Amino acid sequence: MESFLIKGGVPLRGTVDISGSKNAALPIMAAALLTDEPCVIRRVPDLSDTRFMVDILKSLGAEVSFVNGTVSVHAKKISGYADYELVRKMRGSICIAGPLLARLHKARISLPGGCIIGARPINLHLKGFAALGAKIKIEGGYVDATAKKLSGGSLFLGGRAGPTVLGTANVMMAATLADGVTVIESAACEPEVVDLANFLNAMGAKISGAGSPTITITGVKKLHGAEHEVIPDRIEAATFLIAAAATNGEVTVKGARADHLRAVLDKLGEAGVSVRRRGKDLVARRGGKLKPVDITTLPYAGFPTDVQAQMMALLALAPGISIITERIFESRFMHVSELARLGADIEIEGPSAIVKGGKPVSGAPVMASDLRASAALVIAGLAAKGVTQVNRIYHLDRGYERMDEKLKKLGARIQRVEEK
Ligand code: EPZ
């Protein structure tokens, strides 16, 4: 297993190119199952998660290649069965269910199982499929969804924490080949949902309203092949903007979409971080002393839960009290005790973390527990005096393309080493 060794205290300087979005690429790769014609998807980040999806598509019978950020999928003939051994590696693989159900009228998929950040049930996905006429059976750890035919209808997809991103994606994909019109209410509005809808429309689907809480899909008989370039990764962009501020450096983030980052830019501004636009790029640096800020994670366009941990690492450096409330996932504070190992003073009170910021942070060995928690530990390590060893960085490699190389280009003293 690999770790990062980080010698902190160096202000990051220079330009970083943002990769394509993991959370847009995964459902778009799955959507290629909806047609027996070739699809080409560009700007796919090279991550363990996108490679898992390639393996899953191949296991279903599709021909797939992944070269220099371009994924070609030709799902001429496919099966509707996805094995536990593959699905358990990546929860996101659940988004093959909608395309399989739409194309084959059957899907047998292993249930994703638990996750360290929360229970993450798929009841809303199944509710959506049932509303389109599918029969759902759960047995032996598998979901069996079958349908003689799928018929459009109106359904409400809001849950305990509001809309579901992959649930919206799955039901939207299933409805593309259903008879009649489907209206999804309380749909997720994330840019990744819009990017998927754009790809599906390029395949010949009839989708309107993506990006709003009401999405309308008029079913068609057949979809054809298409080409698409994935949107930039807004979470990666936010991570580098925060790293620039945490190290008191100046970083130009290239290729990000500022319009996808409004809530993040707003909170960074409140914290005293200056982010200005230069052409299409964003330039981040500390505008002066960091200030404490209160944050509540919400569905898009609210503050993203996938940036909560990184923002906590920054606010641990801001003198004063910041309150961070996590409303999307019930146990997404695994990074708190690891940040405390670096000297941060953070207390958890129910769904909130009370950050008493401004305490000196110093390097120590820490353990990554999930993707975004590991990004927070890297940011804290870059800001800390001394050496930080971030262990289990396989979590990070799931969602950040060549993070250590990108940081090195910005002047960071970081090494990828074999864990002792
Ligand atoms: C997507 O997960 C992202 N993953 C997550 O990013 C992200 O944190 C999440 O959306 C929220 O923004 C991908 O796109 C691959 P949800 P998803 O369904 O779709 C509850 C990262 O770091 N819920 O929107 O699985 C659920 O438990 C990852 O890149 C139900 O109750 O998340 C959660 O509390 C982590 N029933 C809330 O809704 C359901 O059927 C939002 O989950 C589905 C979800």
Side-chain angles (χ1 to χ4, degrees):
M1 264 198 284
E2 293 181 317
S3 307
F4 278 161
L5 270 185
I6 303 169
K7 245 193 192 153
V10 178
L12 298 181
R13 293 195 190 290
T15 300
V16 61
D17 289 300
I18 295 303
S19 301
S21 161
K22 165 184 80 87
N23 290 347
L26 294 175
I28 287 173
M29 290 164 72
L33 295 168
L34 285 161
T35 177
D36 56 6
E37 293 179 20
C39 293
V40 176
I41 306 155
R42 294 197 178 81
R43 204 180 184 182
V44 174
D46 189 353
L47 309 165
S48 42
D49 273 12
T50 48
R51 292 206 170 268
F52 285 148
M53 185 55 90
V54 168
D55 295 344
I56 290 170
L57 296 177
K58 283 183 179 167
S59 79
L60 295 167
E63 286 161 28
V64 189
S65 70
F66 187 1
V67 183
N68 297 336
T70 296
V71 170
S72 304
V73 183
H74 196 177
K76 256 186 281 188
K77 217 171 162 321
I78 51 172
S79 84
Y81 172 73
D83 181 83
Y84 172 67
E85 278 316 311
L86 278 173
V87 170
R88 74 177 175 77
K89 289 190 185 141
M90 178 182 67
R91 296 187 55 81
S93 53
I94 192 66
C95 63
I96 62 173
L100 293 177
L101 189 56
R103 177 141 170 226
L104 305 175
H105 290 171
K106 66 177 179 180
R108 180 172 162 74
I109 310 233
S110 161
L111 277 167
C115 172
I116 201 158
I117 66 176
R120 303 185 75 177
I122 57 163
N123 56 312
L124 297 169
H125 300 235
L126 304 182
K127 175 185 172 187
F129 296 154
L132 298 177
K135 293 229 166 349
I136 308 289
K137 206 173 67 183
I138 297 185
E139 206 173 63
Y142 281 80
V143 181
D144 262 302
T146 53
K148 286 206 178 58
K149 69 177 181 134
L150 294 178
S151 311
S154 173
L155 60 133
F156 183 86
L157 214 52
R160 181 196 59 79
T164 161
V165 176
L166 287 180
T168 301
N170 246 334
V171 177
M172 186 165 71
M173 290 191 276
T176 53
L177 296 174
D179 294 350
V181 178
T182 300
V183 179
I184 304 177
E185 300 286 358
S186 187
C189 306
E190 270 69 3
E192 295 77 25
V193 172
V194 177
D195 205 30
L196 173 63
N198 291 341
F199 176 59
L200 293 168
N201 283 340
M203 295 171 79
K206 292 198 172 117
I207 301 172
S208 59
S212 83
T214 304
I215 300 179
T216 304
I217 306 109
T218 305
V220 296
K221 285 270 165 288
K222 194 175 182 318
L223 293 173
H224 51 73
E227 301 206 7
H228 183 81
E229 178 169 300
V230 170
I231 55 172
D233 196 310
R234 63 191 168 102
I235 308 298
E236 185 196 21
T239 303
F240 278 98
L241 293 171
I242 292 170
T247 60
N248 203 4
E250 176 158 337
V251 171
T252 299
V253 170
K254 220 174 172 50
R257 291 261 309 255
D259 58 326
H260 292 167
L261 287 161
R262 292 214 173 87
V264 173
L265 298 181
D266 176 58
K267 285 296 172 185
L268 283 175
E270 266 184 49
V273 179
S274 133
V275 181
R276 61 193 160 80
R277 293 174 200 221
R278 192 168 54 207
K280 282 200 171 154
D281 304 339
L282 294 170
V283 184
R285 64 181 183 78
R286 257 195 231 172
K289 237 169 145 220
L290 286 174
K291 287 177 266 176
V293 168
D294 295 343
I295 288 175
T296 299
T297 64
L298 292 165
Y300 190 85
F303 192 92
T305 173
D306 294 347
V307 183
Q308 177 255 98
Q310 301 93 312
M311 204 62 185
M312 189 184 288
L314 178 69
L315 294 172
L317 307 170
I321 306 285
S322 300
I323 298 180
I324 299 179
T325 303
E326 175 56 55
R327 288 271 178 241
I328 306 295
F329 292 108
E330 55 280 23
S331 44
R332 199 170 203 180
F333 283 147
M334 299 298 289
H335 39 285
V336 168
S337 49
E338 296 302 310
L339 288 173
R341 290 179 50 74
L342 299 170
D345 184 350
I346 306 167
E347 261 172 59
I348 298 176
E349 288 280 338
S352 300
I354 297 150
V355 183
K356 297 184 186 126
K359 306 272 164 31
V361 280
S362 56
V366 289
M367 188 74 78
S369 53
D370 61 84
L371 168 56
R372 307 304 171 183
S374 30
L377 298 179
V378 169
I379 290 172
L382 291 166
K385 221 159 78 288
V387 175
T388 296
Q389 175 159 351
V390 183
N391 295 314
R392 297 191 182 168
I393 50 164
Y394 60 82
H395 288 290
L396 204 82
D397 291 334
R398 301 188 64 137
Y400 291 93
E401 191 176 35
R402 295 176 289 104
M403 185 187 235
D404 48 332
E405 288 165 34
K406 291 187 180 186
L407 285 170
K408 258 189 210 144
K409 231 182 104 217
L410 297 172
R413 295 178 293 186
I414 182 168
Q415 273 179 287
R416 182 183 286 263
V417 296
E418 272 309 313
E419 216 169 276
K420 294 217 177 57

